[in-house]
Amino acid sequence: VTARRVLIVDDEDAIREIAQLSMEVVGGHRATGAASGAEALDQVLADPPDAILMDVMMPGLDGPATVAALQADPRTRGIDVVLLTAKVRPHDLARVDVLPGVAGVIAKPFDPMLLPAQVAEILGWDRA
Amino acid sequence: MTGAGARERVQAATDALWQQVQRTELARAAVISSAVAALLEGRLDEHHRALAEREAHKIAGSAGMFGYGQASEIARELEAILSDRGTGRAASAVALAEDLGAALRAAPAAPAVPEAGPGEEEPAVLILHPCAAVSLAVAEDLRTRGFVPEIVADLTAARDAVQGGRRPTAAVVHLSSGPDARGTDDLLGDLDRLGTAVVGLLPANAGTASRVAALRAGARLLLDAPLDPAAGAARIADAVATLINDPQHSVPRVLAVDDDEAVLQAVRHLLGTTSVRVETLREPEGFWAALGRFQPDLLLLDVDMPGVSGLELCRLVRSDPRWSQLPVVFLSGSHDAEAVRRVYAAGADDFVSKPVAGPELQARIASRLDRARLHRLLAETDPLTGLANRRRLERDLNRLQLLADRYSSHLSLAVVDGSTTGTGTRPATRSCAASPPTCGRRSAARTRSRGSAARSSWWPCSACAARTRWSGSAACSSPSAPPRRRWAASSSPSPRAPAWRSTTATAWVSRRSTGPPTARCAWPRRAAAPGSCRRASGCRATRPTWTPPSRRTARSSPSC
């Protein structure tokens, strides 16, 4: 498995920490964290990751708005984004799944042992 | 890494994290619980509905990660019910809310809730009131002030919580005179033994006997039980905040730094008998972090330590505006005049020679703490009116803004002139409250300018304030203006306020001003000359200039 660099964006520290740990320990990737959309944008510009795992509901700049900002910048347009959301009813998913730049959606709560596999499946890392 | 090893590591980390997260989740469950109770009675307002829905959403998204899948499922169902505003399912929602609390507590071999030392975490406040609307309003108000409210349903639940090892920093208890009076007294006794500061709510017609009885049982402050939840909540929360923040009511903290463990032990022993909380540190390297974490009221330093000396630590403390007023007492083995001079030159307040004599150390520390308390009181209170001053306002506002950001709600500031409005409830500025802000989702640049620029230098101009969702503007007093102004940071939902205003009321602060305009204006004139606000290029967060009264109306809130 190739180690990838993953940025995890969530305003809840506990979730961010677990996702980071899961991606590093279980998935063998390198993970960094950001607590808000604005912080994520700064980090992405400073050091572009291979993929971003992002919460949808965040104070200030929320998930979709951050994705839109990433899409607006040619330097960050190519980065894959996977959204994490606890809103998993079909009409909620339909709102975020179709956004340009969103590769897929993972439902919260996620299982830390399975998260890396889910991400890899969405982004086709296994096949690469 | 092997699969098994990875599993173990992740498991250990989630278990450790759950110890912290459980508290938050239980507090959220309590909010939901009160909201569905109100829903059942058909008096759940939109504000609390949205709040409870958000809390349910948070639990749904996080509990399952820690192995509490059932709690997540229940929370998801509650979220759906709250989001549909369905009163038809209110009865099942009440049952679900009970299940949620139970599911979150059903920890496999984990201790109920870890004991919280005061100050290391946000202080917990227990709320026991028969009226759900009052409980909810008080809880919401306390939350915006940085406390963790926990609503308990009845006396039994309250006693269970206390006897189950919970140690709330404060409690709001409705003192009933009915058949429960005996039980209430027992609860107050339990809380008193735990060192919990209790605010007792009595009927307004309660006589001397019941008031004395309440104080005897352990209440520290007595208030009249509120008739109107909204107005009463702010008053109760004020009282709680006073009890918790007032050094008279809280245990002072002393941080002692010495490389000699024996001295630290002696200090712990000597001060352990007084009502002082002591934290000791052997490695000066960890000093700065310990200072921020422990937030001491007094510092006890050894002069000679390897690496960084006590004198250097003292200079370090004095070099930071946040700590420059912190009392520093030195311990030293040498008594010669030169050593003493150096200690005072470094900024020390007092000097105690080793070997340390118990009563002397206790007395010196007590006197330093007393003086520091007086200092702070003078620094943050206006001597004439006895109300809090601008310094206090700035500190509180900073804290409130951080909180508003954290809970993703709006903070608005209204400046109210107490002398013209009488009761002081009508905002003096025509603020942007009437114009709904742009949706946060599409306001990337604005949100950022609010987060960075506005926070560091306080005020965007009124035009920019409108765009950055600061509904309110800073006004300066004019030469002929009445001397007294009241400042209120408030955004409790009012009939006129649009639904997006969701934070609650906070402290009332007042300041007096005297002297000519430039001296009396709280906002320096250096800011921007009229017209220099760069509206086109975004907020530069300049402070508003003083405007003569004759021109003020014309220039106020040009964009709103």
Side-chain angles (χ1 to χ4, degrees):
Chain A
V1 183
T2 329
R4 318 273 179 158
R5 284 173 309 158
V6 184
L7 174 65
I8 292 152
V9 192
D10 199 317
D11 60 314
E12 286 218 36
D13 296 346
I15 293 177
R16 201 174 60 240
E17 275 178 52
I18 291 196
Q20 246 175 291
L21 193 81
S22 156
M23 292 308 284
E24 287 186 341
V25 176
V26 182
H29 304 296
R30 287 212 338 252
T32 47
S36 67
E39 201 182 317
L41 291 178
D42 291 344
Q43 283 201 28
V44 167
L45 282 179
D47 180 21
D50 296 316
I52 304 176
L53 297 188
M54 192 169 352
D55 187 16
V56 173
M57 273 177 53
M58 288 187 289
L61 208 56
D62 68 1
T66 314
V67 172
L70 288 169
Q71 285 294 304
D73 191 332
R75 288 168 295 175
T76 57
R77 197 170 290 159
I79 302 173
D80 289 320
V81 178
V82 176
L83 290 177
L84 298 171
T85 177
K87 288 220 186 267
V88 288
R89 291 189 291 180
H91 64 271
D92 293 323
L93 281 182
R95 267 184 48 233
V96 290
D97 208 359
V98 295
L99 293 174
V102 174
V105 181
I106 293 178
K108 281 207 281 187
F110 52 81
D111 182 344
M113 295 307 295
L114 299 180
L115 180 68
Q118 286 173 308
V119 174
E121 195 189 328
I122 289 174
L123 300 179
W125 283 353
D126 292 340
R127 292 188 291 278
Chain B
M1 171 153 310
T2 64
R7 178 170 288 278
E8 269 170 31
R9 264 189 71 187
V10 171
Q11 189 63 47
T14 46
D15 285 353
L17 217 49
W18 176 249
Q19 303 287 316
Q20 302 160 26
V21 173
Q22 191 186 26
R23 279 168 64 87
T24 323
E25 304 279 52
L26 283 172
R28 286 174 174 157
V31 171
I32 298 169
S33 190
S34 300
V36 294
L39 183 69
L40 184 65
E41 293 169 34
R43 39 175 196 79
L44 178 64
D45 59 327
E46 173 57 25
H47 171 67
H48 286 112
R49 187 205 61 75
L51 181 77
E53 188 194 343
R54 202 164 63 221
E55 303 286 47
H57 177 81
K58 295 262 182 192
I59 298 183
S62 58
M65 255 171 22
F66 299 93
Y68 291 76
Q70 201 197 349
S72 268
E73 285 306 313
I74 299 173
R76 203 184 297 289
E77 225 166 304
L78 282 165
E79 186 194 355
I81 294 176
L82 286 163
S83 126
D84 295 344
R85 300 163 175 80
T87 43
R89 286 193 285 164
S92 63
V94 171
L96 281 172
E98 272 177 30
D99 292 351
L100 177 62
L104 286 169
R105 281 197 182 86
V113 166
E115 186 181 304
E120 271 137 22
E121 293 170 47
E122 292 156 335
V125 182
L126 201 71
I127 303 169
L128 171 61
H129 197 284
C131 172
V134 173
S135 302
L136 263 177
V138 174
E140 168 68 0
D141 206 323
L142 286 172
R143 185 191 295 277
T144 61
R145 298 173 194 229
F147 302 123
V148 180
E150 184 184 352
I151 301 174
V152 283
D154 52 24
L155 207 54
T156 327
R159 292 207 71 183
D160 283 352
V162 171
Q163 285 167 358
R166 218 79 52 84
R167 254 181 105 157
T169 314
V172 177
V173 180
H174 180 264
L175 303 172
S176 53
S177 52
D180 285 345
R182 184 69 184 277
T184 313
D185 281 358
D186 291 344
L187 174 68
L188 292 193
D190 286 348
L191 288 170
D192 194 34
R193 273 189 288 285
L194 289 174
T196 302
V198 177
V199 176
L201 304 180
L202 281 166
N205 59 2
T208 312
S210 32
R211 285 171 195 273
V212 170
L215 288 180
R216 257 189 217 150
R220 294 208 201 157
L221 248 184
L222 296 178
L223 294 177
D224 289 344
L227 298 173
D228 168 30
R235 200 162 47 88
I236 294 169
D238 270 345
V240 171
T242 315
L243 267 184
I244 292 182
N245 295 333
D246 185 351
Q248 259 190 336
H249 294 281
S250 68
V251 179
R253 307 135 168 279
V254 173
L255 177 64
V257 190
D258 199 313
D259 58 313
D260 186 350
E261 180 57 34
V263 173
L264 290 181
Q265 261 189 13
V267 167
R268 272 197 296 267
H269 176 72
L270 290 172
L271 296 180
T273 55
T274 59
S275 56
V276 172
R277 193 152 162 255
V278 187
E279 173 109 338
T280 54
L281 183 72
R282 271 190 69 180
E283 311 288 336
E285 285 72 27
F287 175 74
W288 194 246
L291 195 66
R293 194 180 60 240
F294 186 63
Q295 301 272 328
D297 297 304
L298 185 140
L299 202 57
L300 204 56
L301 291 177
D302 181 27
V303 175
D304 303 306
M305 285 184 285
V308 187
S309 80
L311 297 175
E312 282 166 319
L313 289 184
C314 186
R315 278 192 210 104
L316 178 66
V317 165
R318 294 285 180 251
S319 72
D320 188 299
R322 281 171 300 171
W323 298 111
S324 57
Q325 302 296 320
L326 182 71
V328 180
V329 176
F330 268 92
L331 294 173
S332 172
S334 61
H335 314 257
D336 68 277
E338 177 54 24
V340 175
R341 190 199 62 78
R342 280 195 303 140
V343 164
Y344 282 107
D349 291 294
D350 207 348
F351 178 88
V352 182
S353 21
K354 291 190 214 173
V356 181
E360 184 192 353
L361 185 67
Q362 285 168 7
R364 282 185 189 239
I365 285 182
S367 104
R368 279 295 143 196
L369 285 171
D370 266 346
R371 269 200 222 180
R373 188 178 303 160
L374 190 66
H375 244 269
R376 189 161 40 201
L377 203 66
L378 286 175
E380 294 188 343
T381 330
D382 178 78
L384 196 68
T385 58
L387 294 164
N389 62 7
R390 176 169 167 235
R391 176 200 286 252
R392 172 80 180 273
L393 169 78
E394 291 194 351
R395 203 191 62 192
D396 285 354
L397 266 184
N398 251 332
R399 193 168 51 80
L400 286 167
Q401 197 193 351
L402 287 173
L403 272 167
D405 280 353
R406 178 155 153 207
Y407 290 107
S408 186
S409 53
H410 306 280
L411 171 72
S412 54
L413 174 84
V415 183
V416 181
D417 195 321
S419 60
T420 56
T421 56
T423 54
T425 50
R426 184 174 61 84
T429 50
R430 259 150 311 190
S431 69
C432 316
S435 65
T438 325
C439 163
R441 182 170 293 190
R442 289 195 202 84
S443 59
R446 292 176 193 123
T447 314
R448 292 177 83 183
S449 88
R450 171 186 173 218
S452 48
R455 186 180 304 160
S456 56
S457 53
W458 278 104
W459 300 115
C461 69
S462 57
C464 302
R467 296 186 321 182
T468 53
R469 292 193 282 170
W470 278 79
S471 58
S473 63
C476 304
S477 53
S478 63
S480 59
R484 187 160 155 203
R485 270 172 193 281
R486 297 189 90 182
W487 297 80
S490 161
S491 51
S492 55
S494 71
R496 276 190 53 241
W500 55 267
R501 300 180 65 192
S502 57
T503 333
T504 24
T506 57
W508 285 83
V509 198
S510 153
R511 86 185 159 79
R512 272 183 73 80
S513 50
T514 48
T518 43
R520 81 171 61 177
C521 174
W523 313 102
R525 299 196 67 175
R526 71 136 191 96
S532 77
C533 161
R534 306 178 198 181
R535 274 175 219 145
S537 59
C539 179
R540 286 284 177 276
T542 49
R543 297 173 180 195
T545 44
W546 177 79
T547 317
S550 55
R551 287 171 54 198
R552 188 172 296 159
T553 323
R555 288 190 66 237
S556 69
S557 305
S559 73
C560 306

